[in-house]
């Protein structure tokens, strides 16, 4: 996913192209990890000092609903990152120290489905947390 593609998805879903949304996406494109809404807001305020945290959070959440972004919860706070399009269905290992996300190509949903006969599963969420090799070495 890139900024231009994300802006097109927003437009296709009835959302206007604004400079703030574009900058928000540009900020997220700088990272290969999940970023807290708080950090995105602080970076956005460098250019748009009047941007409210609530507006930033609503935009991030809307973009997640449109599958532009993915999110996870780290230390009790939602962190956002661009949706991975190149890996197909996958899950992530997320470093609790630096936030780096690494795709995991296995999915436990078949095992879950076999344990829940006659249930309809609409969606699922699976992530693994720990420390990446770099943070283990550097003790981040």
């Amino acid at each position: 996913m890139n900024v231009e593609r994300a802006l097109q998805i927003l437009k296709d879903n009835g959302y206007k192209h604004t400079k703030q949304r574009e900058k928000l996406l540009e900020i997220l494109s700088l990272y290969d990890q999940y970023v807290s809404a708080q950090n995105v807001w602080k970076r956005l305020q460098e250019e748009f000092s009047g941007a409210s945290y609530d507006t930033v959070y609503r935009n991030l959440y809307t973009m997640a609903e449109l599958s532009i972004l993915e999110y996870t919860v780290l230390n009790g706070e939602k962190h956002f990152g661009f949706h991975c399009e190149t890996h197909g269905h996958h899950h992530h290992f997320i470093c609790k120290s630096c936030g780096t996300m690494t795709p995991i190509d296995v999915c436990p949903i078949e095992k879950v489905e076999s344990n829940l006969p006659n249930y309809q599963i609409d969606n699922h969420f699976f992530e693994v947390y720990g420390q990446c090799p770099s943070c283990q070495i550097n003790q981040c």
Side-chain angles (χ1 to χ4, degrees):
M1 181 74 63
N2 61 36
V3 172
E4 293 78 26
R5 172 91 173 102
L7 290 169
Q8 186 61 50
I9 291 170
L10 285 165
K11 181 180 176 185
D12 293 346
N13 284 276
Y15 294 92
K16 293 180 182 178
H17 179 152
T18 66
K19 293 284 186 193
Q20 284 187 359
R21 282 190 182 121
E22 183 175 350
K23 184 62 177 181
L24 189 148
L25 290 163
E26 287 172 2
I27 291 167
L28 286 166
S29 73
L30 299 173
Y31 297 92
D32 64 348
Q33 63 196 48
Y34 288 112
V35 183
S36 73
Q38 182 83 12
N39 285 344
V40 173
W41 175 61
K42 286 178 182 176
R43 293 283 308 268
L44 187 69
Q45 283 194 312
E46 293 170 9
E47 192 168 323
F48 299 96
S49 59
S52 75
Y53 178 78
D54 288 342
T55 299
V56 169
Y57 189 84
R58 270 194 314 275
N59 274 281
L60 292 171
Y61 198 79
T62 295
M63 292 176 194
E65 287 179 336
L66 296 173
S67 296
I68 294 168
L69 303 178
E70 298 176 346
Y71 69 87
T72 190
V73 177
L74 291 170
N75 302 319
E77 183 180 3
K78 282 190 180 172
H79 288 60
F80 296 84
F82 270 105
H83 182 72
C84 301
E85 291 186 319
T86 58
H87 298 289
H89 179 80
H90 67 282
H91 300 283
H92 292 111
F93 172 89
I94 301 166
C95 180
K96 289 172 43 177
S97 297
C98 70
T100 299
M101 54 186 178
T102 304
I104 301 171
D105 293 326
V106 296
C107 178
I109 195 65
E110 289 178 7
K111 181 84 170 160
V112 172
E113 287 172 332
S114 69
N115 283 288
L116 294 170
N118 303 317
Y119 285 78
Q120 177 182 327
I121 297 173
D122 295 326
N123 200 355
H124 66 283
F125 190 73
F126 176 73
E127 293 174 336
V128 178
Y129 298 90
Q131 278 196 315
C132 68
S134 179
C135 286
Q136 289 178 57
I137 291 169
N138 298 321
Q139 296 300 307
C140 294

